[in-house]
Amino acid sequence: MYVEKIDEEFFKSEQEKWISKISLKNDFLLADIHLVAGIDIAYWTEGKNDYGVCCIVVIDYITKQIIEEVEYWSQIDVPYISGYLAFRELPMVLEAVKKLQCEPDLYMFDGNGYLHYRHMGIATHASFYLKKPTIGVAKSYLKIKDTDFQMPKNEIGDVTYIEIDGEVYGAVMRTRKDVKPIFISCGNWIDLETFIKITLHFVEKNSRLPITTRYADLATHESRRKYTQ
């Protein structure tokens, strides 16, 4: 996916053409999930130019061992526009995916999926190009239609649902006691119960984030330091 033009109306029309193709049902069996990729992106500025690096960390679902890591960095020409982050990030994601030697069965993004103004966060938007099920894992809450979320109980694994106009957009998950929750949502081709189960499966005691996106996040920080030295 390469951006044809930088125009908010064009971005909106591109998102809207995919909405009817989103499926919040599994197109896979959980037993067939072997490799899960975590994806994150970091940015920096040099002079008048913006740059970004996308890091992908592929993890074995059973052993939770890292199987492969790749990165791709480039200059960023698409500005940040609220609600249209995928147009800024997805070109880097797809270039990084090309460098993988293995083929992930599922992708987890540091960002939103169905929990988005038009249900087209980066995790959902990217799914149509990756052709794999996806999950969005966000550190902060994207407030939509002035709807607040209900804080889950202070118990590991407790979940509340983000419901807007009678529709579930995502979930709030407590992954550690006395620590802020995370905000998770379907990307595509996965149901509510399964994305919650997979996310919690990858949560370990030393972080509130699943190790998929946590390792990718750590990798982007290291890469950014490397490229800005």
Side-chain angles (χ1 to χ4, degrees):
M1 189 210 74
Y2 298 95
V3 177
E4 296 176 13
K5 56 182 176 178
I6 300 172
D7 178 87
E8 192 165 333
E9 285 303 311
F10 170 72
F11 288 170
K12 183 178 179 181
S13 67
E14 282 292 295
Q15 288 183 338
E16 289 177 343
K17 79 178 185 181
W18 292 114
I19 292 174
S20 65
K21 300 181 186 299
I22 300 171
S23 174
L24 305 186
K25 296 180 180 179
N26 293 348
D27 72 345
F28 61 92
L29 296 175
L30 188 55
D32 293 332
I33 298 297
H34 303 295
L35 300 179
V36 178
I39 299 181
D40 193 21
I41 292 174
Y43 297 97
W44 68 94
T45 300
E46 292 182 10
K48 296 182 179 180
N49 297 322
D50 293 330
Y51 297 87
V53 61
C54 172
C55 292
I56 302 178
V57 179
V58 182
I59 296 177
D60 184 287
Y61 186 82
I62 301 299
T63 68
K64 299 182 183 179
Q65 298 300 305
I66 294 175
I67 302 300
E68 187 177 2
E69 295 182 64
V70 298
E71 67 176 32
Y72 176 85
W73 73 277
S74 69
Q75 183 173 325
I76 306 297
D77 297 317
V78 178
Y80 170 76
I81 304 174
S82 179
Y84 303 100
L85 188 60
F87 294 94
R88 183 174 170 89
E89 297 190 336
L90 193 47
M92 281 189 293
V93 170
L94 298 182
E95 290 298 327
V97 169
K98 289 179 183 178
K99 300 175 76 171
L100 288 172
Q101 298 298 307
C102 66
E103 182 177 354
D105 302 300
L106 182 146
Y107 290 84
M108 299 179 71
F109 284 80
D110 187 317
N112 290 303
Y114 202 73
L115 179 57
H116 178 271
Y117 309 109
R118 286 167 297 282
H119 301 316
M120 286 294 293
I122 179 64
T124 304
H125 200 146
S127 69
F128 295 108
Y129 296 88
L130 298 172
K131 304 187 186 306
K132 295 288 184 178
T134 54
I135 298 172
V137 181
K139 304 183 192 77
S140 58
Y141 179 53
L142 176 64
K143 193 172 185 177
I144 300 169
K145 296 184 179 181
D146 290 323
T147 301
D148 291 316
F149 66 89
Q150 180 182 349
M151 188 68 73
K153 297 176 183 177
N154 193 21
E155 300 173 2
I156 295 174
D158 196 62
V159 170
T160 60
Y161 298 111
I162 301 165
E163 189 171 317
I164 302 170
D165 294 337
E167 181 182 17
V168 175
Y169 277 52
V172 190
M173 176 184 285
R174 180 82 68 182
T175 54
R176 294 182 68 188
K177 290 187 67 174
D178 304 318
V179 174
K180 293 186 296 183
I182 59 174
F183 304 88
I184 57 177
S185 57
C186 299
N188 206 358
W189 303 310
I190 190 168
D191 65 26
L192 188 68
E193 180 181 354
T194 305
F195 86 73
I196 289 173
K197 184 174 183 177
I198 290 175
T199 301
L200 195 57
H201 170 77
F202 282 113
V203 171
E204 297 190 337
K205 294 180 180 179
N206 58 351
S207 175
R208 70 184 178 118
L209 297 173
I211 58 174
T212 45
T213 55
R214 176 174 178 258
Y215 289 167
D217 176 72
L218 293 172
T220 59
H221 284 79
E222 183 61 33
S223 294
R224 183 168 54 189
R225 282 194 292 269
K226 176 175 64 177
Y227 291 123
T228 56
Q229 286 180 349

